[in-house]
Amino acid sequence: MERMRTVVRGVGHNLPSQVVTNFDLSKFMDTSDDWIVERTGIRERRFVEPGTTTTDLALPAIQMACSRAGVTPQDCDMIIGATLSPDFFFPGIGTVLQNKLGMAHVPALDVRAQCSGLIYGLATADAYIRAGFAKRILLVCSEVQSPILERTNRGRDMAVLFGDGAGALIVEAQACAGGEAPSAKNNVRGVIDSIMGSDGSGAQLLFLKAPGSVVPGFMTQAAIDAGDIHPKMDGRVVFKNAVTRMVEAASNLLERNGISPSELDLVLPHQANLRINEAVREKLGVSEDRVFNNIQKYGNTTAATIPICMSEATEQGKLKEGQLVMTLAFGAGFTWGCNLIRW
Ligand code: COA
């Protein structure tokens, strides 16, 4: 069998038009623009209008990715969804999108890796493509999180952090000419390497409890009253773990590919907190101009942050074909990881 590589052919994104500023949130809870900006870097985020689902939000992102790749969803032979906020408790968004997009009866699966959704999704797509199981995969990362945020004082630590958004990638199998796979040392385009990790001892340090099988009947009035229908987090522990794990994963990825941080053209980190990204950047020794951040405008859109960054960086001319690019994320689970890509 011919050796295959995974090339990102097109990226798209979509954000709701409704802008919610820090000042807007301060009308519902004791918070301030100063507190939020100083702690997180976030100035505003986008919330969907009531009734917009996660797959609704994803459709324009998919359309943009397809048009940039010069393909249609029907040209894809697999769909991978990544979200923590699916349209339904089950099934996942993969199958819902398969139907909405009028795709053939292709395999559809969801990865549940929360903020690491793009990393896990791309690594999974790469593995399927290299194994010869798929030729062109639609990878969709979409989140509608605003309805589950508790916009009161009790929920203010979480409510100020998150927003809604969607991103999509078309990734395609291309033959490795002469059997040469993408590497940090050549100019062959494609996914070079990925690292994924997890630590379930942190599962309840960043999670949404209900609906879930730990709750009798998956949902009770007591769970609603206790606020278990809203995400909860131990912010300080998550912060420390995020920095440690992202630095560790990125260092391992760079070392095993024989490159130094200065050889990276662009780092696309998950957007959870500007201070986390700044700490990771400093520890890795990457210069400021090589890290792309947009959390200021959108907050944390969980699985969608990195594809939105990819799409915006492309539009701004910062992400270009041939560059050596690293993605990097940490999220609920805990999960973390990074991809190294010759763009
Ligand atoms: N506005 C104003 N005050 C707030 C607040 C808000 N939105 N949320 C919490 N506070 C208060 C707290 O109640 C606390 O008050 P106290 O000192 O009287 O008890 C104080 O601010 C400090 O809270 P603390 O949680 O210690 O702040 P922090 O400096 O750790 O920052 C986070 C909080 C959430 C910004 C930070 O911990 C963080 O970013 N963690 C990681 C988040 C993350 O990455 N999550 C997703 C991972 S994918």
Side-chain angles (χ1 to χ4, degrees):
M1 195 173 73
E2 207 170 13
R3 191 171 187 182
M4 304 309 280
R5 60 196 162 101
T6 307
V7 175
V8 179
R9 283 283 314 280
V11 186
H13 73 287
N14 181 40
L15 289 147
S17 54
Q18 188 192 171
V19 177
V20 178
T21 64
N22 293 343
F23 176 71
D24 293 331
L25 290 181
S26 72
K27 294 177 199 157
F28 302 99
M29 59 192 91
D30 293 334
T31 193
S32 67
D33 183 54
D34 284 350
W35 193 95
I36 301 170
V37 172
E38 190 194 318
R39 296 287 204 300
T40 70
I42 300 165
R43 294 185 178 275
E44 56 190 45
R45 74 286 293 140
R46 305 291 181 94
F47 284 176
V48 295
E49 297 297 335
T52 303
T53 69
T54 300
T55 56
D56 292 338
L57 193 64
L59 291 176
I62 296 167
Q63 199 177 15
M64 189 187 284
C66 284
S67 120
R68 287 175 174 168
V71 301
T72 68
Q74 294 78 17
D75 296 324
C76 297
D77 57 4
M78 183 171 184
I79 177 162
I80 300 177
T83 186
L84 61 62
S85 50
D87 292 16
F88 307 114
F89 186 80
F90 74 83
I93 61 168
T95 56
V96 178
L97 285 168
Q98 177 277 332
N99 183 47
K100 280 193 176 180
L101 294 164
M103 294 167 74
H105 295 155
V106 299
L109 63 87
D110 277 36
V111 295
R112 298 203 53 183
Q114 295 63 249
C115 297
S116 309
L118 179 279
I119 314 278
Y120 273 63
L122 187 56
T124 303
D126 183 38
Y128 273 85
I129 282 175
R130 281 194 282 119
F133 290 153
K135 290 193 170 61
R136 189 178 294 117
I137 299 177
L138 171 60
L139 170 57
V140 183
C141 304
S142 183
E143 304 283 4
V144 169
Q145 309 182 106
S146 51
I148 54 171
L149 299 173
E150 187 175 27
R151 291 176 229 174
T152 66
N153 280 346
R154 183 173 68 171
R156 66 179 179 172
D157 60 326
M158 291 295 273
V160 301
L161 302 177
F162 294 90
D164 303 330
L169 271 68
I170 301 291
V171 297
E172 192 177 272
Q174 291 189 6
C176 296
E180 193 180 13
S183 100
K185 304 293 175 194
N186 64 25
N187 288 319
V188 180
R189 293 186 66 205
V191 176
I192 297 168
D193 196 5
S194 299
I195 285 182
M196 292 174 284
S198 72
D199 177 4
S201 71
Q204 294 184 51
L205 298 172
L206 174 51
F207 78 133
L208 181 79
K209 192 171 176 184
S213 59
V214 294
V215 180
F218 280 68
M219 182 61 78
T220 57
Q221 188 58 48
I224 296 171
D225 295 341
D228 293 339
I229 55 169
H230 306 292
K232 297 275 182 303
M233 171 175 73
D234 184 330
R236 291 196 168 187
V237 178
V238 171
F239 192 109
K240 280 184 200 147
N241 272 275
V243 175
T244 307
R245 295 304 186 185
M246 288 206 280
V247 170
E248 182 186 86
S251 304
N252 289 343
L253 189 76
L254 295 176
E255 193 188 326
R256 81 183 189 189
N257 286 280
I259 46 171
S260 68
S262 62
E263 289 175 83
L264 292 169
D265 294 304
L266 196 62
V267 178
L268 298 160
H270 171 51
Q271 306 288 304
N273 185 318
L274 206 52
R275 282 162 55 220
I276 292 180
N277 289 357
E278 198 44 27
V280 170
R281 185 192 70 72
E282 273 180 17
K283 283 180 195 287
L284 287 176
V286 180
S287 61
E288 243 172 283
D289 58 316
R290 292 184 188 210
V291 179
F292 190 89
N293 287 307
N294 58 13
I295 189 172
Q296 300 89 336
K297 297 185 290 180
Y298 308 131
N300 182 350
T301 58
T302 302
T305 59
I306 296 175
I308 294 172
C309 286
M310 287 173 169
S311 185
E312 286 202 338
T314 304
E315 288 168 358
Q316 294 170 21
K318 292 180 180 164
L319 179 55
K320 292 182 279 225
E321 214 173 290
Q323 285 180 331
L324 190 59
V325 175
M326 184 173 69
T327 63
L328 188 54
F330 177 89
F334 296 141
T335 58
W336 60 85
C338 43
N339 315 107
L340 187 63
I341 309 159
R342 178 69 66 189
W343 199 256

